[in-house]
Amino acid sequence: MTNDILNIVVFSLLGLGVLFAVIRFIKGPKLSDRVVALDTFNMIVIGVIAVLAAVFQNSLYLDIAMVYAILAFLETVVFARYVEGKNDDNR
Amino acid sequence: MTIASYVFLIIGGLFFLLGGLGVLRMPDTFNRIQAGTKATTLGAFSTLIGVGLGNLDWAFKIVLIIVFIVISNPIGSSAIAKATYKSKQIPDNLVQDELANRGDAK
Amino acid sequence: MKYLATFLVMFVVYLFLAGFTLDEVILGSIVSAALTLILVKFVDFRIDWKFPWKLVKFVFVYLPLFIWKLIVANFDVARRVLTPKIPLNPGIVKVKTNLKGDFGKLTLANSITLTPGTLSIDVEDDYIYVHTVDVKGQNEEENRKNISEPFEKVLGGIFK
C-alpha cells in the first residue's frame, strides 16, 4: 500500500521531468536546443527503466537500461556531429 | 532497506525533475546543457543506487551502468556544446569569449 | 602487460553483467581472451607497477571529492533554476592544465563539466575552454584557481 503510493510519487516526479524536456523539445528555437532536450529526455528514460526494474523485480530491465544508455550516448554524439555540420541558424 | 531505497529513488526523481525544469527555464543553449547534464547525472546516480539498495543482487550491474553514465554523459554534453559553438548558434549574452580568438577559429 | 590488462577489464565487465557462476567464468574467460586478441591493437595505455596504488588513490581520494562537488553543483543548479529571475553572467574562459595524458585530460574535463557552474567545451593541447555561468576572475590565473585547482591537485598525483 505504502509502496504503491511511493511508486506513484517517484513516477510522477520522473514524468514531470520528461514533460518539461518534451516541452523544450517542441519549443526549442534552434536545433541544438532540441538535441539538449533529447539528451535530457534519454537520461530520464534510463531512470524510468531502472525504476521499472525495481517495481517488477526483474533484472532484465537493467540490461535494457544499459543498452539504452549506450544508444543514447551514440545518438547524442551523432546528432552533435550533425549540428556541427549546419552553419546556418534557421533551424 | 526499503526505506533507504525509496529515499534515494525520490531524491533521484527530484533531481530528474530539476533537470527537466532547468532545460525548460534556462535562457540560452549553454546554460541548458549545464543544467541538464548536472541534474540528470546526479539523478541517474541516485535513482540507480536506490534500485540497487532495493535488491542487492543487482549491485554489480548497477555499478557498471553508473560508471558508464558518469563517463559518457559529460562527454555527450561537451560534444553538443562544441557543435553548438561551431555551428555559430552562439547566444549573445556572453560577457567574455576566449574561444573566439584562438588560432583556427572559423 | 597490455594483454593482461585488456583481458582483465573485459573479464570483469563480463562477470559483472553475467553473474558469478562457474559456467559463466569459463565462457567469460574464453570470450574475453578472443576479444583481447582482436582489440589489443586499439588499446593505448601504459601500466606500471605503481598502478594498484594509483587505483586506490583514485577511488579513495578522487571519487569522494568528485561526488561532493557533484552534489554541490546540483544544489547550485537548483538555486539558479528555482529563483524567479535566473542570475547569470556567462562567458567562455580558457584554463591551462598540467596533465599530459589523454585519459587524465578526459577525467579533468569530465570533472569540470560536473562541478558548479562550469561546462568544458573543447580541449586543445594544454588548454581547456570552459563555459562558466558566472565569470568571476579577471585573468587566467584567477580562473584557473576558481575552476580546476582542486581537481588538478588530486589528479596530478594519479595521472602524470
Side-chain angles (χ1 to χ4, degrees), chain C residues 91-95 112 117-122 128-132 147:
Chain C
I92 296 175
V93 297
K94 194 160 88 164
V95 177
I112 288 175
T118 51
L119 164 74
S120 50
I121 294 179
D122 201 354
I128 298 180
Y129 293 90
V130 179
H131 173 267
T132 67
I147 293 168

Side-chain angles (χ1 to χ4, degrees), chain B residues 26-95:
Chain B
M26 286 293 189
D28 65 87
T29 311
F30 287 133
N31 287 312
R32 276 174 206 147
I33 296 173
Q34 286 215 20
T37 308
K38 283 175 194 122
T40 52
T41 307
L42 188 64
F45 202 99
S46 179
T47 309
L48 286 166
I49 285 179
V51 174
L53 282 179
N55 193 333
L56 288 176
D57 295 344
W58 303 344
F60 293 113
K61 259 181 212 176
I62 298 276
V63 167
L64 267 189
I65 301 177
I66 288 179
V67 168
F68 184 78
I69 283 179
V70 170
I71 293 177
S72 75
N73 205 13
I75 299 179
S77 57
S78 256
I80 306 174
K82 191 176 167 185
T84 307
Y85 195 91
K86 281 205 175 156
S87 66
K88 307 206 169 153
Q89 301 176 344
I90 309 163
D92 47 7
N93 61 357
L94 296 177
V95 297

Side-chain angles (χ1 to χ4, degrees), chain C residues 26-37:
Chain C
I26 296 169
L27 186 62
S29 53
I30 295 170
V31 170
S32 322
L35 278 178
T36 304
L37 289 181

